[in-house]
Amino acid sequence: MLSSAAFTGDPNDKPEGHPLKNFVTQWGNDPIWLSPFVVGTGPKRVNFPLARTAPDPDGKWLPSIAPPEEADQPSGAFVTTGLEHPELRTPTAESLVEIAPHDVFFDDERQLWYCDIEVTWGSAYFPFIRLALARYQPVALQDAHLSNVVLADFMPLVPDRWLNVTHTRDPRLRQVNVYGHTYTSSSSHEEAIHGLSASVRQADGTFLEVHPPQVAATSVLEVWVERLNPALGEDFGWHREAGAVVQRTPAPAPHVLPTKVSGIKARARARANELLHFREFTALVNENLLEQLFITPRLWEGTVRLPDSAGEGTRYRLVIAEYEEYLVDDATPYDKFVTSSNRRLVFIEYVEMD
């Protein structure tokens, strides 16, 4: 359930007496990361690429035991705007809601219904969303389309990452690119660079220099190669290959992007955005259109060279890992001097090197 396009107030206190906060989906940035903001207090229907606004004649959501006539639905678009939710007895124009209907499917093994919901939100880093969920009946009286609303827990939206591993003329060399949006600073980074330093006198009379730890301003990517020991199997046999050489390409100097785009480039960019909207990632790679999307958000670029001494049948895989760095309490958690940091793994991918 979503606020209507005409609603411009704050759902936490509008409409007066019956605020929408308990009935509509809301989102917001995680304040510990500095990144672009999500738009508005909640998403719009366009932010749900899998939303269905017209009948599906195939009835793909029906379980195998359902009668085929259950797939029959009247033609025409669903009613998705100007709806009343049943928990408000005196609806007003300001309290009407919109919806983003999604197909539900039946899991024969678990005997449960489920629904896949995808959300697009721009370039914010790990924003939070709280979904307002209701059962929707397309064929119903005007005030009976929706069930009571259930609010889901707040959950983070995980940013997408795209990898491009390309063969070169050298059979041992691969070109690697990692794309995506990240943050430009964090509360831990700011605290670390403004942290206190001091010379602390110890019990033996000596002085200990205390400094805040280094915390990266943005996420940290690491790339390495692993080799399989077949005797240990797939689960335990992969170990880091010391003979592989990973070289990161230095980031280019900042430059001004062109304000005009040629007709060919404009068509390529439009095609790339179309494929991205429909989540056709394989086609993006096959048609060499990744660069049309990721002009700025390249997180890592470099090369990986496999060892020259690899024997026949040796299996390698590329590992790409991304971490967040943050401050942690040390042995004296209430001490004004912060001296410890740690990091959290937020993304990892394995690509076998054939």
Side-chain angles (χ1 to χ4, degrees):
M1 296 241 307
L2 311 170
S3 303
S4 69
F7 182 81
T8 58
D10 184 346
N12 291 306
D13 52 33
K14 296 293 183 180
E16 293 184 8
H18 299 282
L20 286 177
K21 65 178 181 179
N22 293 325
F23 309 109
V24 297
T25 296
Q26 292 183 265
W27 63 11
N29 277 46
D30 186 336
I32 69 173
W33 312 115
L34 180 61
S35 70
F37 281 88
V38 292
V39 178
T41 59
K44 304 299 182 184
R45 191 164 54 250
V46 69
N47 297 114
F48 296 91
L50 298 184
R52 175 179 296 285
T53 57
D56 174 14
D58 296 330
K60 297 177 182 177
W61 67 89
L62 293 175
S64 57
I65 59 175
E69 57 267 20
E70 290 291 330
D72 185 31
Q73 291 180 337
S75 60
F78 293 160
V79 178
T80 58
T81 62
L83 296 172
E84 302 174 6
H85 57 81
E87 297 177 61
L88 190 59
R89 297 187 179 276
T90 56
T92 64
E94 198 175 28
S95 68
L96 297 179
V97 296
E98 298 184 8
I99 60 170
H102 283 69
D103 289 338
V104 292
F105 305 93
F106 190 72
D107 188 312
D108 289 317
E109 181 178 351
R110 300 183 63 195
Q111 293 292 294
L112 292 174
W113 291 90
Y114 69 94
C115 177
D116 290 327
I117 300 175
E118 291 188 8
V119 186
T120 60
W121 65 91
S123 55
Y125 185 78
F126 271 104
F128 282 93
I129 191 170
R130 187 193 65 179
L131 295 173
L133 306 171
R135 182 174 179 178
Y136 171 63
Q137 173 53 260
V139 183
L141 299 175
Q142 176 60 26
D143 57 352
H145 286 285
L146 298 172
S147 71
N148 290 342
V149 179
V150 175
L151 294 178
D153 291 334
F154 285 94
M155 63 189 79
L157 293 170
V158 181
D160 288 326
R161 292 291 178 260
W162 292 270
L163 310 179
N164 188 8
V165 182
T166 308
H167 287 262
T168 65
R169 293 183 179 180
D170 185 339
R172 314 302 298 172
L173 189 68
R174 305 288 189 276
Q175 178 73 33
V176 181
N177 289 277
V178 184
Y179 302 91
H181 295 286
T182 187
Y183 55 96
T184 56
S185 188
S186 69
S187 58
S188 284
H189 172 70
E190 293 297 322
E191 186 177 352
I193 62 177
H194 296 100
L196 298 176
S197 299
S199 295
V200 180
R201 186 183 181 91
Q202 302 185 96
D204 60 0
T206 61
F207 286 87
L208 175 66
E209 297 296 325
V210 178
H211 302 282
Q214 295 289 327
V215 175
T218 187
S219 57
V220 177
L221 272 87
E222 294 185 0
V223 177
W224 66 89
V225 174
E226 293 180 345
R227 181 175 61 182
L228 178 66
N229 180 352
L232 299 178
E234 291 279 351
D235 292 334
F236 303 102
W238 291 101
H239 300 283
R240 190 174 295 212
E241 173 55 64
V245 179
V246 177
Q247 287 187 319
R248 184 170 187 173
T249 304
H255 63 282
V256 178
L257 296 176
T259 56
K260 293 184 178 180
V261 182
S262 69
I264 295 177
K265 289 185 177 181
R267 288 191 294 273
R269 189 169 300 172
R271 172 62 176 164
N273 282 297
E274 177 187 12
L275 293 173
L276 178 63
H277 176 77
F278 290 105
R279 321 292 285 183
E280 297 290 345
F281 301 128
T282 301
L284 274 170
V285 175
N286 292 341
E287 297 181 27
N288 295 318
L289 293 175
L290 282 173
E291 292 294 336
Q292 301 301 322
L293 292 175
F294 309 119
I295 298 175
T296 303
R298 190 199 307 267
L299 300 178
W300 198 94
E301 178 184 10
T303 59
V304 174
R305 177 176 291 280
L306 299 177
D308 294 328
S309 59
E312 186 71 24
T314 303
R315 289 175 59 188
Y316 293 100
R317 71 179 184 185
L318 183 68
V319 185
I320 299 98
E322 182 179 5
Y323 302 89
E324 299 165 348
E325 294 189 346
Y326 53 88
L327 298 176
V328 297
D329 291 335
D330 51 24
T332 54
Y334 296 102
D335 192 346
K336 61 182 177 180
F337 299 106
V338 180
T339 59
S340 300
S341 64
N342 209 322
R343 62 184 189 175
R344 178 179 75 150
L345 177 67
V346 292
F347 171 80
I348 190 165
E349 185 61 87
Y350 304 92
V351 180
E352 187 142 3
M353 312 280 278
D354 52 10

